[in-house]
Amino acid sequence: MKYFCTVKLSRHIFTLVVTCLISLVCSETRAYSHTMQADGNADSVKISLLTCSPGDEVYSLYGHTAIRYTDYAEGIDVAVNYGIFSFSKPFFVLRFIFGITDYEMGIMPFDYFCEEYASEGRSVYQQELDLTPEEKAAIAKAISVNYQPENRVYRYNYFYDNCTTRARNILLDNMGRKVSFPDAGKEYPSYRELTHAFNENSPWARFGNDILLGVGSDRKTTLSEHQFLPFSLKDDFDKAVIKNADGSATPLVKRTTCVVNVPQRVSGNGFPLRPAACAWIIFAITAAVTLFEFRLKKKFWMFDALMMTLYGAMGIIIFMMFFSQHPTTSTNLQVLLFNPLPLFFVYRASRRAINKRREPFWIYAAVAVALFFVGGFFQHYAEGTYVLALSLLVRSAWNIVCQNRYSSGKK
């Protein structure tokens, strides 16, 4: 009896402690928001741009951006983060594919923010901005308004509206002076090229990106557009100057420091083969099967059925992206190679191969592959896709030859 009373008392104490902690954190966060609404003593306020180094996960390969708000007079030191999301939300993957993912703004103690990134082996760089008291008050007010429950959730877009562009906009849009960036009129690398700079060591993540991205991702970007990447924005802030009312110019960044300095972790070994290597293996198998068919004068229809199924299944993903709200995925010429149509012909093509009858699908497939190669002049394709196209072309040509033999009565 005493044991059960003790357990019951322990549960009550645990519940009380957890409730108090939750209330304390919520009260602290509300206090941050409330304090930022007031002008306060702006001389004690420091506002900085935070740039976090890349991580190991796919969503962290490109780094992260946040804002640090410090008010020494009020004892406030928080990180304003526009990159909060949850994989546990219903249909997260489907919503992400179709471009209807919602991200959320959050405010957390700066120490917790640093501890999180330190535990992930990711450094954090801080750029303190040279702002006037009025600009600090305006940014603080904008953050407070943005943190209201009805405003903090936004529709995420990887290239156009993400955690980095949100942080940039709330800083620059609430400055009374004009910020000038050098080389503002020049062309910058394309969206695809910019992402390639960060996923070189993650070939399958790059392959996935390149499969989903279309023609729109290959055009050159502007200054504003290339700042969707955290380190692009960091570099631009380092070079930016503020135009003062008296005509003078001062650097936007007062000082840059590394607030979390940890050695970058070596990524764990993933799949040992690159996409191109896998594509060449598939081509070698395709060539070997075709050669055996020629030597044995037999038709391995199951191999074609498997190839049509795999290409068609991959095509479903690309076809779905045509209905996505991501603007750079709507026109993807890789659909000429990977599309769902083979799935509708698998059964019929197999039956006709068994019965040695002509199947028009292979003519259509050969034409589509030819157009795919032409499309390569207008769009950068994912690694290994040319080799996969060559594999399909070999099977298409061989099936057409076999069908001509059927028509002429030859074995």
Side-chain angles (χ1 to χ4, degrees), residues 325-388:
Q325 293 186 18
H326 292 297
T328 55
T329 62
S330 57
T331 305
N332 190 342
L333 299 181
Q334 291 171 119
V335 76
L336 293 167
L337 178 63
F338 303 114
N339 61 77
L341 290 180
L343 298 176
F344 296 97
F345 289 90
V346 171
Y347 178 76
R348 194 180 77 173
S350 300
R351 294 292 300 174
R352 292 193 174 190
I354 295 172
N355 297 325
K356 297 183 179 182
R357 295 174 56 193
R358 181 182 295 273
E359 172 51 62
F361 167 79
W362 296 110
I363 297 176
Y364 304 149
V367 172
V369 170
L371 292 175
F372 171 83
F373 282 111
V374 174
F377 291 101
F378 306 97
Q379 177 182 330
H380 178 96
Y381 292 151
E383 178 184 334
T385 50
Y386 283 111
V387 181
L388 294 175

Side-chain angles (χ1 to χ4, degrees), residues 50-63:
L50 301 175
T51 304
C52 310
S53 63
D56 296 333
E57 302 297 333
V58 173
Y59 60 82
S60 65
L61 287 176
Y62 310 98

Side-chain angles (χ1 to χ4, degrees), residues 204-219:
W204 286 100
R206 172 184 287 193
F207 177 82
N209 286 345
D210 287 342
I211 278 291
L212 298 179
L213 294 176
V215 176
S217 64
D218 290 310
R219 69 170 179 83

